[in-house]
Amino acid sequence: MSRRRSEQRLKRLIMSLTTRWMSGELWQYREREIGTIIYSLGCFPSQADLHDLIAEVEEDQTGYIHLDSFLPAMSKVLLEHKFPPIPEDLLLQAFEVLDKEKKGYLEPEELTKYMTQEGELFTQEEMDEMLTALADHEKNVVYYKDLINQLTIDPDM
Amino acid sequence: MGCGVSKSNQFHKNSGKAIKSAVLIQRWYRQFVARKEMRRRYTWHIFQSIEYSGEQAQIKLYNFLGYLMDNFTPASNERNLISHIFRENEVCRDAEWERYFCYKNIEVPDLYSGPHLTFPLTVEQAVGLVEAFRNKKQLHSRYVLQLLLETWKQLRLLPNINRISTCHSKEITICGDLHGQLEDLLLIFYKNDMPSLEKPYLFNGDFVDRGKDSIEILIILFSFLLVYPSEVYLNRGNHEDHIVNLRYGFTKEVLSKYRMHGKRILKLLQKIFSWLPLATVIDQKVLVIHGGISSTTDLSVLARVDRHNYNSALRPPKKRHQRVAGESIDSDEEAGSTNKVFQRRPSLTSPRTLTRNSFQNRSLQDFSDRLRANTVEEVEVHKRLPGPLGPENDTSQSCESISSEDEWKQILDLLWSDPMAQDGCVPNEVRGGGCYWGPDVTEDFLNRHNLQLIIRSHECKQEGYEFCHNRKVLTLFSASNYYDVGSNRGAYVKLGPDLVPYLVQYQASSMIRELSVRQSAGRSERSANKVLREQLFAHKSDLICAFKKFDSENKGRVSLANWASAVESVMRLGLPWRIMRSQLVTGRSADSSIDSSIDYYEWFNELAIKGANADHIDQSLLETLYRHRSTLETIFRIVDADNSGFITMEDFRQTWKLLSVYLKMEITEEAISDLAVTIDSNQDGSIDIEEFMEAFRLTDKKSRLERGRSMFMGTATDLTKLEGDPHI
């Protein structure tokens, strides 16, 4: 498949995924927006990776990205499988590491501590969202094993 | 501390692992959220496209009927069927109207357990109505008519543009679209108290259609308007329009709740809608309108129009050659001039004759262009003619630089436009009326009129509100769960003397609170997917055609990429089909797609929809029926001139002929007879519209059990993509 054709297809896909564009194809990005696009294409960059990518394509720090710069960079990412998805078993292991007492679940406080103090820190808003989405309503703990089974979505490309 | 070296190494190794794990989880979670957001967006997109294309379809239908009116000879059957919706009002004077709407001889039976009204209305009665509706009571038609008559009298006193001020530190509460969702209005009153001297309210249009309690909402709003005329304000919305109501459920609701007097109630409401104010200005700084603006919007023009001449914003105005200021719209002369106009038009359209194709492609902008061309010609004609039209009319024509089409466009833009991100102002092709206007137009408009903010509604927003154009435009939407349970919040805004909008959000339905975020998103998605599957099925023949282009060897399979391409070329929804494949291609056809190719015949089997009595009906007719269900129902209701719910066999046949012309399809006499036979089970020569629609309600194999509270069951809109498509 020629690079050009795949870029065309990618362009159509991206345009269908995003909300209205600024004048023509100059796109005022919000960080989360780019992340959303990239993640939904099946890539798992870290925050640092994301920043690098944005820096590469941004128009002189104006906060705008031109679609023509974004496309080749994104195509490259996809073709090189630069940010592969996280395998389920690895994810499970990650949760198990955090679950020191091997309870099979995580208390909200435990998870909060890690997510907001280690690694690529979550904001308070992200943390609240995560707990609302993932915590079991009655017991108020996070049963990570069940979650992984239910929520891992295969990138459908 | 005091740990040994080895222990601290261990500690560091562990915390290193912990950090890595945390990073992994963070990364995974962010991806999960992004995916969810993406799915939410295209779920939204599905609902919205279908909603807007329904509006567009309605306008096209209306244009089509107008075309028929213009181009068929007076004796033609089709023309007679539909002429009554173009006749503005029957020839009546005010006194005759009073008699027609008289409620005095309507008896209220002893058994009636609903509220009784006495006029002038009191606060207690208004509050009592709210309570009664909360308890699912219905107001008797006698009181409805009486209330509407009082409302009509009140509205006639109001100017086109309400001007209010937030003096005495009064905060005004502004609500957006309610669309017949009584639960939301009750929730607003619960959170914010009912209207009173201290609690002024402004309702920004679209009170009716889609929801099931439109008439109750109107009754409540009108009651409070009567009780607090200086504290309650109403703006007209694009759904306060009898043409739109034919499709979107309000007409149906009134006729079914008020079997005996529904027709009169609807007629009176037509007049009331036309008398609703068009806009409101608060403290000379904030403009509140239902739709939006265009680059030509001019408040001074709008202040001067005779707004009640526009029963439906969709309809171009009659020529007012003999208009004298102050004359009642309901006079004989007007009716006379209407006839003349209809006779005149065919000859004037000959330079720009409409072909059968062209009317499909046009929005109302084109309509008005055509009219403008006609006006110029007509004015020329008049100038040459001596006699009855006389010199005074000529001068009035040339003095008034604002023509009736300009007026019409002003109103249309106000009620139908949507904001866009790009600069400029372009016709709103998606809806079929009004325009899309950009931030530059906002800036210019606000400066010209010395305003600082525009508050509008008309578009559903997930959070119930949304700012745009540099926070100079606020969209406000008050019907929560509009597309489906959990789809969106509603919001209202409070504006005090500082004119800083203070927004309050809410979401009706107790079910919501129990659904986790994950669940409620899933529900909307399933609902949207169901609607989408229905639409895919309804376009089966076109899709198969498209697939065959990729399947030259006729294997019945196409690759995933080609499948997505073909589907988009037919449906034209701009959706990420490849990503959505897993929800749309299910069952056996999904299993068999090991090599990522799709067995499309099998796929259609999975999507298959069967009607109750439908087996002997031709498949393609069934598909047509399904695809244009809503248009068909609308045409039926138009044909059913006396709003009885029945049409004759003959009219039924004529209706199908109309539909076949509109769709440019062959529908044989035989096929129509088959259909008729299916419905007229008691052989009495008349067809119950409801029964007909029920018989072909075509439930999806999968989801008969999932009937739920989908907005799109009763008044499903269809995706008519007839614009410019030469293959149809």
Side-chain angles (χ1 to χ4, degrees):
Chain A
M1 156 114 21
S2 78
R3 196 184 191 107
R4 178 153 189 143
R5 247 198 306 162
S6 69
E7 258 182 45
Q8 285 298 350
R9 181 170 296 155
L10 185 61
K11 178 173 179 173
R12 277 201 300 271
L13 183 63
I14 290 178
M15 294 200 82
S16 72
L17 289 175
T18 56
T19 47
R20 296 174 214 148
W21 294 79
M22 289 292 283
S23 35
E25 293 168 346
L26 201 61
W27 179 26
Q28 183 175 35
Y29 85 90
R30 281 161 290 170
E31 197 170 294
R32 240 182 139 158
E33 181 91 16
I34 293 245
T36 304
I37 305 273
I38 297 181
Y39 287 128
S40 49
L41 291 172
C43 302
F44 286 68
S46 65
Q47 294 293 78
D49 298 327
L50 210 52
H51 284 135
D52 289 343
L53 187 61
I54 291 173
E56 236 180 80
V57 298
E58 194 184 2
E59 296 252 318
D60 313 318
Q61 334 244 283
T62 51
Y64 283 80
I65 293 184
H66 199 285
L67 191 56
D68 286 343
S69 331
F70 183 64
L71 280 178
M74 196 59 225
S75 297
K76 193 160 152 220
V77 161
L78 286 174
L79 288 172
E80 292 174 9
H81 300 287
K82 233 173 152 184
F83 307 118
I86 300 168
E88 259 182 50
D89 48 359
L90 203 61
L91 192 58
L92 185 61
Q93 274 180 47
F95 273 108
E96 282 172 347
V97 165
L98 300 187
D99 179 15
K100 290 214 201 76
E101 297 153 36
K102 308 291 169 240
K103 307 187 294 294
Y105 59 83
L106 284 170
E107 304 273 351
E109 301 78 45
E110 281 180 279
L111 192 55
T112 305
K113 188 179 79 150
Y114 282 113
M115 297 290 103
T116 58
Q117 291 174 25
E118 307 281 5
E120 300 186 325
L121 311 183
F122 269 15
T123 60
Q124 188 55 44
E125 198 192 335
E126 278 181 297
M127 197 61 233
D128 292 338
E129 265 180 32
M130 187 188 205
L131 287 174
T132 314
L134 303 186
D136 179 285
H137 274 195
E138 288 162 41
K139 307 270 175 56
N140 202 27
V141 293
V142 178
Y143 289 103
Y144 52 84
K145 283 206 187 113
D146 299 334
L147 284 178
I148 293 177
N149 287 336
Q150 288 168 30
L151 302 179
T152 325
I153 309 162
D154 63 318
D156 214 336
M157 295 282 286
Chain B
M1 292 276 264
C3 311
V5 169
S6 59
K7 261 195 184 156
S8 87
N9 273 349
Q10 182 83 358
F11 178 75
H12 282 133
K13 208 170 20 165
N14 279 346
S15 71
K17 251 170 111 175
I19 293 176
K20 275 205 192 136
S21 303
V23 169
L24 208 64
I25 294 172
Q26 284 157 340
R27 197 183 294 193
W28 163 78
Y29 177 72
R30 285 179 169 128
Q31 197 268 4
F32 165 69
V33 165
R35 280 268 178 168
K36 210 166 56 134
E37 169 63 15
M38 202 48 68
R39 286 157 92 109
R40 186 203 66 74
R41 274 193 212 171
Y42 57 74
T43 299
W44 191 266
H45 186 84
I46 293 173
F47 280 127
Q48 201 171 59
S49 328
I50 294 181
E51 172 182 6
Y52 291 173
S53 68
E55 290 184 342
Q56 194 192 85
Q58 182 65 351
I59 291 180
K60 281 193 190 136
L61 178 63
Y62 194 71
N63 282 356
F64 167 69
L65 296 174
Y67 161 77
L68 281 186
M69 291 300 298
D70 291 349
N71 292 286
F72 276 62
T73 56
S76 152
N77 281 338
E78 282 95 340
R79 195 176 186 278
N80 286 340
L81 273 184
I82 51 181
S83 63
H84 68 95
I85 68 166
F86 286 88
R87 234 178 304 129
E88 187 121 301
N89 285 305
E90 286 90 32
V91 178
C92 267
R93 297 191 176 276
D94 282 353
E96 290 185 30
W97 279 124
E98 296 266 335
R99 241 179 291 138
Y100 177 70
F101 291 131
C102 189
Y103 55 87
K104 296 206 173 106
N105 43 13
I106 302 179
E107 294 253 330
V108 180
D110 294 326
L111 287 173
Y112 171 69
S113 63
H116 295 266
L117 299 182
T118 57
F119 289 82
L121 221 52
T122 61
V123 176
E124 290 74 33
Q125 291 191 75
V127 172
L129 279 169
V130 176
E131 268 318 294
F133 293 148
R134 191 199 304 272
N135 297 322
K136 315 267 189 253
K137 300 264 191 252
Q138 187 174 309
L139 185 66
H140 195 275
S141 45
R142 180 200 170 99
Y143 300 127
V144 175
L145 282 167
Q146 204 172 353
L147 178 68
L148 292 181
L149 277 170
E150 293 300 312
T151 306
W152 184 28
K153 285 188 213 159
Q154 176 69 23
L155 288 175
R156 290 169 84 158
L157 303 173
L158 297 179
N160 294 345
I161 302 181
N162 291 317
R163 288 188 184 271
I164 52 188
S165 74
T166 58
C167 53
H168 313 307
S169 313
K170 268 198 261 189
E171 262 183 338
I172 179 159
T173 306
I174 305 172
C175 300
D177 294 24
L178 286 166
H179 280 303
Q181 298 190 184
L182 183 60
E183 211 181 339
D184 285 301
L185 185 59
L186 294 177
L187 189 50
I188 295 173
F189 284 167
Y190 175 72
K191 286 171 83 77
N192 197 51
D193 286 334
M194 295 197 229
S196 67
L197 291 171
E198 288 76 43
K199 210 37 101 180
Y201 269 82
L202 164 56
F203 294 93
N204 199 17
D206 278 11
F207 320 121
V208 302
D209 277 334
R210 295 209 177 91
K212 58 177 180 58
D213 298 311
S214 300
I215 189 73
E216 279 74 30
I217 288 195
L218 283 183
I219 291 171
I220 292 175
L221 295 184
F222 292 158
S223 315
F224 279 109
L225 176 74
L226 291 174
V227 174
Y228 293 117
S230 313
E231 279 77 32
V232 174
Y233 299 91
L234 304 176
N235 280 349
R236 188 177 186 182
N238 64 313
H239 278 261
E240 274 68 60
D241 183 327
H242 69 109
I243 303 289
V244 179
N245 298 150
L246 277 168
R247 178 180 286 252
Y248 286 100
F250 181 50
T251 307
K252 201 199 293 200
E253 179 191 325
V254 173
L255 292 176
S256 65
K257 285 179 177 170
Y258 293 99
R259 288 194 179 275
M260 270 237 289
H261 302 285
K263 189 180 152 214
R264 268 198 272 177
I265 292 175
L266 285 171
K267 200 77 198 170
L268 186 44
L269 277 168
Q270 263 187 48
K271 298 173 98 39
I272 286 179
F273 285 165
S274 72
W275 276 105
L276 285 169
L278 299 170
T280 300
V281 176
I282 302 175
D283 286 351
Q284 298 169 70
K285 285 286 166 203
V286 177
L287 175 68
V288 187
I289 47 192
H290 175 74
I293 58 172
S294 74
S295 48
T296 54
T297 299
D298 186 340
L299 291 182
S300 54
V301 170
L302 282 163
R304 293 196 318 257
V305 306
D306 286 326
R307 69 181 189 274
H308 65 94
N309 286 340
Y310 299 91
N311 246 352
S312 163
L314 295 184
R315 185 172 152 192
K318 303 188 304 204
K319 297 297 176 291
R320 305 233 151 269
H321 303 294
Q322 291 158 327
R323 176 166 55 167
V324 172
E327 193 175 303
S328 163
I329 178 192
D330 305 319
S331 65
D332 292 337
E333 289 91 319
E334 301 296 86
S337 72
T338 313
N339 289 337
K340 287 200 196 116
V341 168
F342 281 134
Q343 283 163 18
R344 222 181 265 135
R345 266 196 225 167
S347 58
L348 287 175
T349 55
S350 42
R352 293 180 61 177
T353 315
L354 295 170
T355 62
R356 287 216 151 156
N357 287 324
S358 63
F359 72 77
Q360 297 287 10
N361 301 341
R362 297 173 324 159
S363 65
L364 288 170
Q365 286 308 112
D366 300 321
F367 225 52
S368 81
D369 287 344
R370 182 165 78 85
L371 281 175
R372 204 168 290 127
N374 292 352
T375 321
V376 171
E377 294 180 40
E378 282 186 14
V379 171
E380 294 305 312
V381 168
H382 286 148
K383 284 204 179 128
R384 282 184 250 122
L385 282 180
L389 293 175
E392 62 269 21
N393 286 69
D394 279 349
T395 48
S396 73
Q397 278 280 9
S398 48
C399 273
E400 268 190 359
S401 47
I402 307 302
S403 63
S404 50
E405 306 87 61
D406 284 343
E407 272 186 16
W408 176 51
K409 181 178 192 297
Q410 293 276 337
I411 295 180
L412 197 63
D413 289 339
L414 216 63
L415 264 38
W416 283 80
S417 301
D418 290 314
M420 65 175 174
Q422 298 93 317
D423 280 346
C425 188
V426 296
N428 191 328
E429 308 264 278
V430 174
R431 300 228 200 213
C435 60
Y436 281 122
W437 90 91
D440 58 335
V441 177
T442 297
E443 194 64 38
D444 181 56
F445 177 83
L446 292 175
N447 287 335
R448 253 189 301 129
H449 291 90
N450 209 5
L451 298 164
Q452 72 192 41
L453 174 66
I454 297 176
I455 298 180
R456 44 90 63 176
S457 304
H458 198 40
E459 284 182 293
C460 183
K461 296 292 176 189
Q462 202 197 0
E463 293 300 317
Y465 73 94
E466 189 175 272
F467 281 99
C468 67
H469 293 190
N470 236 335
R471 288 187 84 89
K472 302 251 173 86
V473 175
L474 169 63
T475 300
L476 188 64
F477 198 79
S478 301
S480 65
N481 308 322
Y482 182 60
Y483 290 132
D484 194 13
V485 176
S487 67
N488 65 289
R489 290 183 158 123
Y492 58 87
V493 73
K494 298 172 76 85
L495 216 57
D498 59 359
L499 296 182
V500 173
Y502 173 70
L503 287 142
V504 180
Q505 295 168 296
Y506 55 84
Q507 197 156 18
S509 172
S510 47
M511 277 205 288
I512 293 294
R513 277 174 246 125
E514 276 135 42
L515 292 177
S516 72
V517 169
R518 187 167 78 223
Q519 281 173 302
S520 62
R523 232 195 114 114
S524 268
E525 214 178 300
R526 279 195 294 280
S527 197
N529 282 331
K530 174 169 167 293
V531 170
L532 200 53
R533 280 202 307 268
E534 286 176 1
Q535 289 301 323
L536 288 166
F537 175 77
H539 291 85
K540 179 174 167 182
S541 348
D542 291 340
L543 284 167
I544 293 202
C545 249
F547 290 143
K548 285 209 169 120
K549 290 197 193 131
F550 290 106
D551 182 21
S552 47
E553 293 164 44
N554 230 340
K555 290 203 182 131
R557 302 188 79 93
V558 287
S559 69
L560 175 58
N562 289 337
W563 175 83
S565 193
V567 172
E568 178 58 23
S569 70
V570 170
M571 305 301 288
R572 302 240 200 110
L573 283 173
L575 289 169
W577 298 104
R578 295 179 76 172
I579 293 185
M580 294 167 67
R581 198 233 341 165
S582 53
Q583 298 125 54
L584 297 172
V585 181
T586 53
R588 276 221 309 262
S589 47
D591 295 338
S592 58
S593 57
I594 330 152
D595 55 345
S596 257
S597 72
I598 294 174
D599 176 341
Y600 51 89
Y601 286 111
E602 182 57 39
W603 183 46
F604 279 114
N605 282 342
E606 295 293 322
L607 284 179
I609 299 176
K610 290 246 179 350
N613 314 325
D615 295 336
H616 66 292
I617 306 291
D618 178 57
Q619 269 303 304
S620 66
L621 185 57
L622 207 61
E623 197 184 306
T624 304
L625 222 130
Y626 199 79
R627 189 197 298 202
H628 300 286
R629 192 167 47 179
S630 183
T631 298
L632 186 60
E633 183 170 356
T634 307
I635 294 181
F636 275 147
R637 296 208 177 277
I638 292 174
V639 166
D640 177 23
D642 59 0
N643 287 329
S644 61
F646 286 87
I647 57 175
T648 63
M649 279 298 255
E650 189 43 42
D651 284 347
F652 180 77
R653 267 184 242 286
Q654 292 296 345
T655 305
W656 274 103
K657 291 233 190 93
L658 254 181
L659 191 62
S660 64
V661 169
Y662 180 58
L663 301 177
K664 292 177 273 186
M665 286 184 63
E666 284 292 311
I667 301 182
T668 63
E669 286 288 341
E670 210 189 311
I672 296 177
S673 296
D674 279 344
L675 278 175
V677 156
T678 311
I679 316 307
D680 184 18
S681 44
N682 63 350
Q683 307 290 326
D684 67 350
S686 75
I687 291 173
D688 183 328
I689 299 176
E690 287 293 335
E691 262 186 346
F692 180 80
M693 298 311 294
E694 263 314 309
F696 294 100
R697 198 163 290 283
L698 311 174
T699 47
D700 182 346
K701 244 199 301 202
K702 276 193 222 306
S703 49
R704 232 174 284 224
L705 301 169
E706 264 184 42
R707 200 64 78 102
R709 193 184 152 266
S710 168
M711 283 295 182
F712 294 86
M713 284 304 290
T715 53
T717 52
D718 46 29
L719 280 176
T720 52
K721 346 162 261 83
L722 303 175
E723 67 270 57
D725 188 331
H727 300 300
I728 295 180

